[in-house]
């Protein structure tokens, strides 16, 4: 393998987001800098291979992380991310790479400054993502699942056509007899939430419909956020839940209000959870094809790491799919 030059003080400074003077003081044990900063800079230097010979691709390791929310949450418990991580692991192993999964609590430490990986697959990266900023500074190849919050020319990402998918769902609900369709939208700053919401609002404008949006709350197991929308003569008669738990939240809310699904309320949920085929009634879902996404993203990432010239330019589309079940109904029952 081709030897890689030892990182310079400037390389370490960019990766650690400090000045070269601070790097010099930290490595030499001089200057008046905080001990935490000194330790962090030394960790970054070690991660970059400072003071030891390196070889290109020596680690043969890629990482995967979900950086949508800064707090500690176990994204592997969500079906989409769980399936994506499993598929990415399989795709990495098939190409001779190990894959490590990073915890979501990126605010807890600065581990990405010294993370020993050849490349990173970052899912749902929001604007101002500190992990992306640090990895860019280190020159580590990145591939994104979904449009990155701060895209740059030359970035690579895989994504669904959220405009087309949202329209397909809304047209399907309209064809089933729905006349007032609400959206359960995301509460994060990731591209997915913004793209689905914007597509819904454009569709409503084209169909002279008033947008009705509810913010997704993972803690709202009984779907109380829908209560106001399910009362009265002008209640909604269909909801597209863009996040995994939304289908179950809607079933709970409908039962509480005495509404029949799908006769009184039609439900579609974006989810990879196979359990929706067994609910009462079975819930129509949108699959965002996480396995397809992961395999495509890992292929692009490995091509960037190995610089083999096969990485496609621009975004790589991944088709989504509508899995129609009972909950989205057809025409409402008489009476």
């Amino acid at each position: 393998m081709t030897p890689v030059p030892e990182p310079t003080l400037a390389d370490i400074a960019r990766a650690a987001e400090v000045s070269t003077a601070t790097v010099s003081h930290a490595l030499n044990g001089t200057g008046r800098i905080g001990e935490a900063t000194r330790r962090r800079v030394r960790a970054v230097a070690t991660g970059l291979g400072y003071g030891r010979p390196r070889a290109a691709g020596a680690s043969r390791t890629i990482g995967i992380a979900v950086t949508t929310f800064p707090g500690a949450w176990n994204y592997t418990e969500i079906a989409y991310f769980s399936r994506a991580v499993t598929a990415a692991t399989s795709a990495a192993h098939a190409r001779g790479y190990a894959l490590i999964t990073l915890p979501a609590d990126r605010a807890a430490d600065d581990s990405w400054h010294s993370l020993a990986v050849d490349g990173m697959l970052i899912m749902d990266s929001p604007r101002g993502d500190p992990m992306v900023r640090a990895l860019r500074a280190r020159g580590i190849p990145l591939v994104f699942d979904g449009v990155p919050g701060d895209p740059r020319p030359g970035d690579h990402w895989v994504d669904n056509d959220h405009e087309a998918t949202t329209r397909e769902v809304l047209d399907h609900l309209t064809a089933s007899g729905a006349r007032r369709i609400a959206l359960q939208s995301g509460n994060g700053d990731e591209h997915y939430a913004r793209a689905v919401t914007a597509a819904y609002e454009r569709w409503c404008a084209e169909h002279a419909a008033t947008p009705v949006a509810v913010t997704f709350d993972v803690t709202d197991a009984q779907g109380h956020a829908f209560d106001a929308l399910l009362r009265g003569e002008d209640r909604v008669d269909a909801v597209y839940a863009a996040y995994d738990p939304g289908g179950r939240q809607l079933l709970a809310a409908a039962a509480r209000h005495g509404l029949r699904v799908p006769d009184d309320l039609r439900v579609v949920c974006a989810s990879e959870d196979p359990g929706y085929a067994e609910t009462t009634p079975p819930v129509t879902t949108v699959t965002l094809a996480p396995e397809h996404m992961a395999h495509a993203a890992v292929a692009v990432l490995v091509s960037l790491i190995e610089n083999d010239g096969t990485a496609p330019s621009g975004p790589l589309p991944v088709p989504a799919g509508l899995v129609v079940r009972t909950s989205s109904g057809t025409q409402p029952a008489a009476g």
Side-chain angles (χ1 to χ4, degrees):
M1 291 180 285
T2 304
V4 178
E6 181 174 277
T8 65
L9 296 187
D11 294 329
I12 299 169
R14 281 192 297 272
E17 299 182 88
V18 297
S19 68
T20 54
T22 297
V23 172
S24 178
H25 289 316
L27 298 180
N28 295 319
T30 60
R32 302 181 65 177
I33 61 174
E35 187 58 31
T37 300
R38 192 184 305 276
R39 286 197 303 268
R40 181 165 67 84
V41 171
R42 287 178 173 176
V44 169
T46 299
L48 292 176
Y50 184 79
R52 59 179 172 82
R54 298 197 307 159
S59 76
R60 294 196 69 82
T61 301
I62 59 180
I64 187 169
V66 181
T67 58
T68 312
F69 304 108
W73 62 291
N74 188 358
Y75 56 85
T76 60
E77 293 180 348
I78 304 299
Y80 177 87
F81 296 120
S82 175
R83 290 170 61 172
V85 168
T86 299
T89 303
S90 175
H93 290 178
R95 291 165 173 79
Y97 284 78
L99 183 138
I100 61 172
T101 305
L102 274 69
D105 193 5
R106 67 179 191 271
D109 56 52
D110 292 327
S111 61
W112 52 83
H113 287 283
S114 56
L115 188 63
V117 294
D118 298 322
M120 278 292 300
L121 169 55
I122 302 181
M123 308 176 74
D124 286 351
S125 175
R127 288 177 283 206
D129 191 338
M131 175 182 282
V132 170
R133 187 172 62 248
L135 294 176
R136 286 193 196 278
R138 292 176 56 190
I140 291 178
L142 306 177
V143 173
F144 299 90
D145 168 23
V147 181
D150 302 305
R152 293 185 181 181
D155 276 349
H156 294 78
W157 64 82
V158 296
D159 201 9
N160 311 107
D161 186 340
H162 299 300
E163 179 81 25
T165 302
T166 302
R167 287 176 175 274
E168 181 181 7
V169 170
L170 299 174
D171 290 343
H172 167 72
L173 289 170
T174 299
S176 77
R179 295 294 175 263
R180 190 161 190 248
I181 306 172
L183 173 72
Q184 185 189 42
S185 182
N187 59 355
D189 187 41
E190 76 276 18
H191 172 76
Y192 174 68
R194 290 182 280 120
V196 171
T197 301
Y200 167 73
E201 291 174 347
R202 282 190 289 268
W203 185 93
C204 288
E206 293 169 11
H207 291 76
T210 302
V212 182
V214 173
T215 300
F216 168 63
D217 179 357
V218 70
T219 66
D220 183 18
Q222 296 302 308
H224 289 289
F226 297 105
D227 287 347
L229 304 184
L230 300 181
R231 300 190 188 104
E233 295 182 357
D234 63 343
R235 66 172 179 80
V236 302
D237 57 5
V239 180
Y240 174 33
Y243 284 78
D244 185 277
R248 289 184 172 83
Q249 293 174 344
L250 280 162
L251 292 180
R256 187 168 58 254
H257 288 272
L259 300 176
R260 298 167 298 172
V261 177
D263 296 342
D264 302 317
L265 180 68
R266 297 155 192 80
V267 174
V268 177
C269 177
S271 175
E272 312 302 329
D273 184 354
Y276 276 121
E278 306 297 330
T279 54
T280 304
V283 172
T284 294
T285 55
V286 172
T287 174
L288 301 179
E291 289 87 357
H292 188 164
M293 180 286 302
H295 280 276
V298 169
V300 174
L301 184 56
V302 170
S303 70
L304 292 175
I305 293 168
E306 298 181 353
N307 195 26
D308 61 10
T310 64
S313 58
L316 187 64
V318 174
L322 183 63
V323 182
V324 178
R325 300 191 181 101
T326 307
S327 72
S328 58
T330 52
Q331 292 296 327

